[in-house]
Short mmCIF file of all heavy atoms in Angstrom, two decimals:
data_model
loop_
_atom_site.label_atom_id
_atom_site.label_comp_id
_atom_site.label_asym_id
_atom_site.label_seq_id
_atom_site.Cartn_x
_atom_site.Cartn_y
_atom_site.Cartn_z
N ILE A 1406 5.17 -2.39 9.19
CA ILE A 1406 4.60 -1.38 10.09
C ILE A 1406 3.08 -1.40 10.02
O ILE A 1406 2.39 -1.33 11.03
CB ILE A 1406 5.16 0.01 9.75
CG1 ILE A 1406 6.65 0.08 10.09
CG2 ILE A 1406 4.40 1.11 10.49
CD1 ILE A 1406 7.34 1.35 9.63
N GLY A 1407 2.55 -1.53 8.78
CA GLY A 1407 1.10 -1.58 8.59
C GLY A 1407 0.47 -2.78 9.29
O GLY A 1407 -0.61 -2.68 9.87
N THR A 1408 1.16 -3.91 9.23
CA THR A 1408 0.65 -5.12 9.90
C THR A 1408 0.56 -4.91 11.41
O THR A 1408 -0.42 -5.31 12.05
CB THR A 1408 1.57 -6.32 9.58
OG1 THR A 1408 1.53 -6.58 8.18
CG2 THR A 1408 1.12 -7.57 10.33
N LEU A 1409 1.57 -4.27 12.00
CA LEU A 1409 1.56 -4.01 13.43
C LEU A 1409 0.47 -2.99 13.80
O LEU A 1409 -0.20 -3.13 14.83
CB LEU A 1409 2.92 -3.50 13.89
CG LEU A 1409 4.09 -4.49 13.71
CD1 LEU A 1409 5.40 -3.88 14.22
CD2 LEU A 1409 3.81 -5.80 14.44
N ILE A 1410 0.27 -1.98 12.95
CA ILE A 1410 -0.80 -1.00 13.18
C ILE A 1410 -2.16 -1.69 13.14
O ILE A 1410 -3.02 -1.47 14.01
CB ILE A 1410 -0.75 0.12 12.12
CG1 ILE A 1410 0.49 1.01 12.35
CG2 ILE A 1410 -2.02 0.97 12.16
CD1 ILE A 1410 0.74 2.01 11.23
N PHE A 1411 -2.36 -2.54 12.14
CA PHE A 1411 -3.61 -3.27 11.99
C PHE A 1411 -3.88 -4.13 13.24
O PHE A 1411 -5.00 -4.18 13.75
CB PHE A 1411 -3.55 -4.14 10.74
CG PHE A 1411 -4.83 -4.85 10.41
CD1 PHE A 1411 -5.82 -4.22 9.65
CD2 PHE A 1411 -5.06 -6.16 10.83
CE1 PHE A 1411 -7.00 -4.88 9.34
CE2 PHE A 1411 -6.23 -6.82 10.52
CZ PHE A 1411 -7.21 -6.18 9.76
N PHE A 1412 -2.85 -4.78 13.71
CA PHE A 1412 -2.96 -5.62 14.91
C PHE A 1412 -3.44 -4.79 16.11
O PHE A 1412 -4.34 -5.19 16.85
CB PHE A 1412 -1.62 -6.27 15.22
CG PHE A 1412 -1.59 -7.03 16.52
CD1 PHE A 1412 -1.97 -8.36 16.57
CD2 PHE A 1412 -1.18 -6.41 17.69
CE1 PHE A 1412 -1.95 -9.06 17.78
CE2 PHE A 1412 -1.15 -7.09 18.91
CZ PHE A 1412 -1.55 -8.42 18.95
N MET A 1413 -2.83 -3.62 16.30
CA MET A 1413 -3.18 -2.79 17.46
C MET A 1413 -4.59 -2.21 17.34
O MET A 1413 -5.35 -2.21 18.31
CB MET A 1413 -2.16 -1.67 17.62
CG MET A 1413 -0.76 -2.15 18.00
SD MET A 1413 -0.74 -3.12 19.54
CE MET A 1413 -1.35 -1.91 20.71
N VAL A 1414 -4.96 -1.72 16.15
CA VAL A 1414 -6.27 -1.11 15.97
C VAL A 1414 -7.39 -2.13 16.14
O VAL A 1414 -8.44 -1.85 16.71
CB VAL A 1414 -6.38 -0.41 14.60
CG1 VAL A 1414 -7.80 0.10 14.35
CG2 VAL A 1414 -5.39 0.75 14.53
N THR A 1415 -7.18 -3.35 15.64
CA THR A 1415 -8.20 -4.40 15.78
C THR A 1415 -8.10 -5.12 17.12
O THR A 1415 -8.81 -6.09 17.36
CB THR A 1415 -8.08 -5.43 14.64
OG1 THR A 1415 -6.78 -6.04 14.68
CG2 THR A 1415 -8.29 -4.78 13.29
N ARG A 1416 -7.20 -4.66 17.99
CA ARG A 1416 -7.00 -5.22 19.32
C ARG A 1416 -6.62 -6.70 19.27
O ARG A 1416 -7.00 -7.49 20.14
CB ARG A 1416 -8.26 -5.02 20.17
CG ARG A 1416 -8.61 -3.57 20.42
CD ARG A 1416 -9.89 -3.41 21.17
NE ARG A 1416 -10.21 -2.00 21.43
CZ ARG A 1416 -11.35 -1.58 21.98
NH1 ARG A 1416 -12.27 -2.44 22.35
NH2 ARG A 1416 -11.56 -0.28 22.16
N GLY A 1417 -5.90 -7.07 18.23
CA GLY A 1417 -5.41 -8.43 18.12
C GLY A 1417 -6.48 -9.47 17.85
O GLY A 1417 -6.27 -10.66 18.09
N LYS A 1418 -7.63 -9.05 17.29
CA LYS A 1418 -8.74 -10.00 17.07
C LYS A 1418 -8.84 -10.51 15.64
O LYS A 1418 -9.50 -11.51 15.39
CB LYS A 1418 -10.06 -9.34 17.48
CG LYS A 1418 -10.17 -9.06 18.97
CD LYS A 1418 -11.53 -8.48 19.33
CE LYS A 1418 -11.63 -8.26 20.84
NZ LYS A 1418 -12.95 -7.69 21.23
N VAL A 1419 -8.21 -9.80 14.69
CA VAL A 1419 -8.32 -10.18 13.27
C VAL A 1419 -6.94 -10.58 12.76
O VAL A 1419 -6.06 -9.73 12.60
CB VAL A 1419 -8.89 -9.03 12.42
CG1 VAL A 1419 -9.03 -9.46 10.97
CG2 VAL A 1419 -10.23 -8.57 12.97
N PRO A 1420 -6.71 -11.86 12.47
CA PRO A 1420 -5.40 -12.28 11.95
C PRO A 1420 -5.22 -11.85 10.50
O PRO A 1420 -5.98 -12.26 9.62
CB PRO A 1420 -5.45 -13.81 12.08
CG PRO A 1420 -6.91 -14.15 12.03
CD PRO A 1420 -7.63 -12.99 12.65
N SER A 1421 -4.22 -11.01 10.24
CA SER A 1421 -3.98 -10.57 8.87
C SER A 1421 -2.61 -9.93 8.72
O SER A 1421 -2.14 -9.23 9.62
CB SER A 1421 -5.04 -9.57 8.41
OG SER A 1421 -4.84 -9.23 7.06
N PHE A 1422 -1.99 -10.19 7.58
CA PHE A 1422 -0.76 -9.52 7.18
C PHE A 1422 -1.15 -8.47 6.15
O PHE A 1422 -1.87 -8.77 5.19
CB PHE A 1422 0.21 -10.53 6.57
CG PHE A 1422 1.54 -9.94 6.19
CD1 PHE A 1422 2.57 -9.85 7.12
CD2 PHE A 1422 1.77 -9.48 4.90
CE1 PHE A 1422 3.80 -9.32 6.77
CE2 PHE A 1422 2.99 -8.95 4.54
CZ PHE A 1422 4.02 -8.86 5.48
N LEU A 1423 -0.72 -7.23 6.33
CA LEU A 1423 -1.00 -6.17 5.37
C LEU A 1423 0.14 -6.05 4.38
O LEU A 1423 1.31 -6.04 4.78
CB LEU A 1423 -1.22 -4.84 6.08
CG LEU A 1423 -2.69 -4.44 6.33
CD1 LEU A 1423 -3.38 -5.49 7.16
CD2 LEU A 1423 -2.76 -3.07 6.99
N GLY A 1424 -0.19 -5.96 3.10
CA GLY A 1424 0.82 -5.81 2.07
C GLY A 1424 0.37 -4.86 0.99
O GLY A 1424 -0.76 -4.34 1.02
N SER A 1425 1.23 -4.62 0.02
CA SER A 1425 0.93 -3.69 -1.07
C SER A 1425 -0.25 -4.19 -1.88
O SER A 1425 -0.29 -5.34 -2.30
CB SER A 1425 2.16 -3.56 -1.97
OG SER A 1425 3.29 -3.18 -1.22
N SER A 1426 -1.20 -3.32 -2.12
CA SER A 1426 -2.43 -3.70 -2.82
C SER A 1426 -2.27 -3.58 -4.34
O SER A 1426 -1.86 -2.54 -4.86
CB SER A 1426 -3.59 -2.82 -2.36
OG SER A 1426 -4.74 -3.08 -3.13
N PHE A 1427 -2.66 -4.64 -5.04
CA PHE A 1427 -2.66 -4.61 -6.50
C PHE A 1427 -3.75 -3.69 -7.04
O PHE A 1427 -3.71 -3.28 -8.20
CB PHE A 1427 -2.85 -6.02 -7.06
CG PHE A 1427 -1.63 -6.88 -6.96
CD1 PHE A 1427 -1.37 -7.63 -5.84
CD2 PHE A 1427 -0.71 -6.92 -8.00
CE1 PHE A 1427 -0.24 -8.42 -5.73
CE2 PHE A 1427 0.43 -7.70 -7.91
CZ PHE A 1427 0.66 -8.45 -6.77
N ALA A 1428 -4.74 -3.39 -6.22
CA ALA A 1428 -5.85 -2.54 -6.67
C ALA A 1428 -5.38 -1.14 -7.04
O ALA A 1428 -6.04 -0.45 -7.82
CB ALA A 1428 -6.90 -2.45 -5.56
N PHE A 1429 -4.22 -0.72 -6.52
CA PHE A 1429 -3.71 0.63 -6.81
C PHE A 1429 -2.95 0.70 -8.14
O PHE A 1429 -2.67 1.80 -8.62
CB PHE A 1429 -2.78 1.09 -5.69
CG PHE A 1429 -3.47 1.51 -4.43
CD1 PHE A 1429 -3.67 0.61 -3.40
CD2 PHE A 1429 -3.94 2.81 -4.28
CE1 PHE A 1429 -4.31 0.99 -2.23
CE2 PHE A 1429 -4.58 3.20 -3.12
CZ PHE A 1429 -4.77 2.28 -2.09
N ILE A 1430 -2.59 -0.44 -8.72
CA ILE A 1430 -1.69 -0.42 -9.88
C ILE A 1430 -2.23 0.41 -11.03
O ILE A 1430 -1.54 1.28 -11.57
CB ILE A 1430 -1.38 -1.86 -10.35
CG1 ILE A 1430 -0.64 -2.62 -9.26
CG2 ILE A 1430 -0.54 -1.83 -11.62
CD1 ILE A 1430 -0.40 -4.09 -9.58
N GLY A 1431 -3.46 0.14 -11.42
CA GLY A 1431 -4.02 0.87 -12.56
C GLY A 1431 -4.14 2.36 -12.31
O GLY A 1431 -3.77 3.18 -13.16
N ALA A 1432 -4.64 2.72 -11.13
CA ALA A 1432 -4.83 4.14 -10.81
C ALA A 1432 -3.50 4.86 -10.70
O ALA A 1432 -3.34 5.99 -11.19
CB ALA A 1432 -5.61 4.27 -9.50
N VAL A 1433 -2.51 4.23 -10.05
CA VAL A 1433 -1.19 4.85 -9.92
C VAL A 1433 -0.52 4.99 -11.28
O VAL A 1433 0.08 6.03 -11.59
CB VAL A 1433 -0.30 4.02 -8.96
CG1 VAL A 1433 1.17 4.48 -9.05
CG2 VAL A 1433 -0.80 4.15 -7.53
N SER A 1434 -0.62 3.96 -12.11
CA SER A 1434 -0.02 4.03 -13.45
C SER A 1434 -0.65 5.15 -14.27
O SER A 1434 0.05 5.88 -14.98
CB SER A 1434 -0.21 2.69 -14.17
OG SER A 1434 0.46 1.65 -13.48
N ALA A 1435 -1.97 5.30 -14.15
CA ALA A 1435 -2.65 6.37 -14.89
C ALA A 1435 -2.28 7.75 -14.34
O ALA A 1435 -2.06 8.69 -15.11
CB ALA A 1435 -4.16 6.16 -14.81
N ALA A 1436 -2.19 7.87 -13.02
CA ALA A 1436 -1.90 9.16 -12.40
C ALA A 1436 -0.47 9.62 -12.65
O ALA A 1436 -0.19 10.83 -12.68
CB ALA A 1436 -2.17 9.10 -10.90
N THR A 1437 0.45 8.66 -12.83
CA THR A 1437 1.87 9.01 -12.97
C THR A 1437 2.43 8.77 -14.36
O THR A 1437 3.61 9.02 -14.61
CB THR A 1437 2.71 8.19 -11.97
OG1 THR A 1437 2.54 6.79 -12.24
CG2 THR A 1437 2.28 8.47 -10.54
N ALA A 1438 1.58 8.26 -15.28
CA ALA A 1438 2.01 7.93 -16.65
C ALA A 1438 3.22 7.01 -16.62
O ALA A 1438 4.19 7.19 -17.36
CB ALA A 1438 2.33 9.22 -17.43
N TYR A 1439 3.17 6.01 -15.76
CA TYR A 1439 4.29 5.08 -15.58
C TYR A 1439 4.27 4.00 -16.65
O TYR A 1439 3.23 3.44 -16.97
CB TYR A 1439 4.20 4.46 -14.19
CG TYR A 1439 5.34 3.52 -13.86
CD1 TYR A 1439 6.66 3.95 -13.91
CD2 TYR A 1439 5.09 2.20 -13.48
CE1 TYR A 1439 7.71 3.10 -13.59
CE2 TYR A 1439 6.12 1.35 -13.15
CZ TYR A 1439 7.43 1.80 -13.21
OH TYR A 1439 8.46 0.95 -12.90
N ALA A 1440 5.46 3.68 -17.19
CA ALA A 1440 5.57 2.73 -18.30
C ALA A 1440 5.63 1.27 -17.85
O ALA A 1440 5.55 0.37 -18.67
CB ALA A 1440 6.80 3.04 -19.14
N GLY A 1441 5.82 1.01 -16.56
CA GLY A 1441 5.78 -0.36 -16.08
C GLY A 1441 7.10 -0.96 -15.64
O GLY A 1441 7.13 -2.08 -15.16
N SER A 1442 8.20 -0.24 -15.79
CA SER A 1442 9.50 -0.76 -15.35
C SER A 1442 10.41 0.39 -14.94
O SER A 1442 10.29 1.51 -15.44
CB SER A 1442 10.16 -1.58 -16.47
OG SER A 1442 10.44 -0.76 -17.58
N GLY A 1443 11.33 0.09 -14.00
CA GLY A 1443 12.26 1.10 -13.53
C GLY A 1443 11.63 2.02 -12.50
O GLY A 1443 10.46 1.87 -12.14
N PRO A 1444 12.40 3.01 -12.00
CA PRO A 1444 11.86 3.95 -11.01
C PRO A 1444 10.74 4.80 -11.60
O PRO A 1444 10.77 5.15 -12.78
CB PRO A 1444 13.07 4.82 -10.64
CG PRO A 1444 14.26 4.04 -11.10
CD PRO A 1444 13.82 3.25 -12.28
N ASN A 1445 9.77 5.13 -10.79
CA ASN A 1445 8.67 5.99 -11.20
C ASN A 1445 8.97 7.40 -10.72
O ASN A 1445 8.93 7.69 -9.53
CB ASN A 1445 7.36 5.48 -10.60
CG ASN A 1445 6.14 6.21 -11.15
OD1 ASN A 1445 6.25 7.32 -11.64
ND2 ASN A 1445 4.99 5.57 -11.06
N LEU A 1446 9.30 8.30 -11.66
CA LEU A 1446 9.72 9.66 -11.31
C LEU A 1446 8.57 10.51 -10.77
O LEU A 1446 8.81 11.57 -10.18
CB LEU A 1446 10.36 10.34 -12.53
CG LEU A 1446 11.59 9.64 -13.11
CD1 LEU A 1446 12.12 10.41 -14.32
CD2 LEU A 1446 12.68 9.49 -12.05
N ASN A 1447 7.33 10.08 -10.99
CA ASN A 1447 6.17 10.86 -10.55
C ASN A 1447 5.49 10.25 -9.33
O ASN A 1447 4.31 10.53 -9.06
CB ASN A 1447 5.16 10.99 -11.69
CG ASN A 1447 5.71 11.80 -12.85
OD1 ASN A 1447 6.35 12.83 -12.64
ND2 ASN A 1447 5.48 11.34 -14.06
N ILE A 1448 6.22 9.42 -8.58
CA ILE A 1448 5.66 8.76 -7.41
C ILE A 1448 4.99 9.74 -6.43
O ILE A 1448 3.93 9.44 -5.88
CB ILE A 1448 6.75 7.94 -6.68
CG1 ILE A 1448 6.93 6.59 -7.39
CG2 ILE A 1448 6.39 7.69 -5.23
CD1 ILE A 1448 5.74 5.67 -7.29
N PRO A 1449 5.56 10.94 -6.16
CA PRO A 1449 4.90 11.85 -5.21
C PRO A 1449 3.45 12.16 -5.54
O PRO A 1449 2.63 12.32 -4.64
CB PRO A 1449 5.78 13.11 -5.28
CG PRO A 1449 7.15 12.59 -5.62
CD PRO A 1449 6.88 11.47 -6.58
N LEU A 1450 3.12 12.24 -6.85
CA LEU A 1450 1.73 12.49 -7.25
C LEU A 1450 0.83 11.34 -6.78
O LEU A 1450 -0.28 11.56 -6.29
CB LEU A 1450 1.63 12.64 -8.77
CG LEU A 1450 2.37 13.81 -9.40
CD1 LEU A 1450 2.25 13.76 -10.91
CD2 LEU A 1450 1.81 15.13 -8.86
N ALA A 1451 1.32 10.11 -6.96
CA ALA A 1451 0.55 8.94 -6.53
C ALA A 1451 0.42 8.90 -5.01
O ALA A 1451 -0.62 8.53 -4.48
CB ALA A 1451 1.22 7.67 -7.05
N LEU A 1452 1.49 9.27 -4.32
CA LEU A 1452 1.47 9.21 -2.86
C LEU A 1452 0.38 10.10 -2.27
O LEU A 1452 -0.29 9.73 -1.29
CB LEU A 1452 2.83 9.62 -2.29
CG LEU A 1452 4.03 8.74 -2.66
CD1 LEU A 1452 5.31 9.30 -2.07
CD2 LEU A 1452 3.80 7.31 -2.18
#
């Protein structure tokens, strides 16, 4: 969905696939006290 949104907003001029950013890993892990495996029970805080 993000890739299609990006396509429309840029009017089809910038070729790119949007995916999950690794830049969020540290901040999300810190905000949710996530241990690194299994479901994250505090995901709403990160969202």
Side-chain angles (χ1 to χ4, degrees):
I1406 292 173
T1408 297
L1409 297 180
I1410 290 171
F1411 185 86
F1412 173 88
M1413 293 303 299
V1414 174
T1415 60
R1416 297 176 179 174
K1418 293 184 178 180
V1419 182
S1421 184
F1422 183 87
L1423 262 59
S1425 305
S1426 174
F1427 285 88
F1429 284 94
I1430 296 175
V1433 168
S1434 298
T1437 60
Y1439 182 57
S1442 63
N1445 188 337
L1446 300 180
N1447 294 318
I1448 278 293
L1450 297 176
L1452 297 178

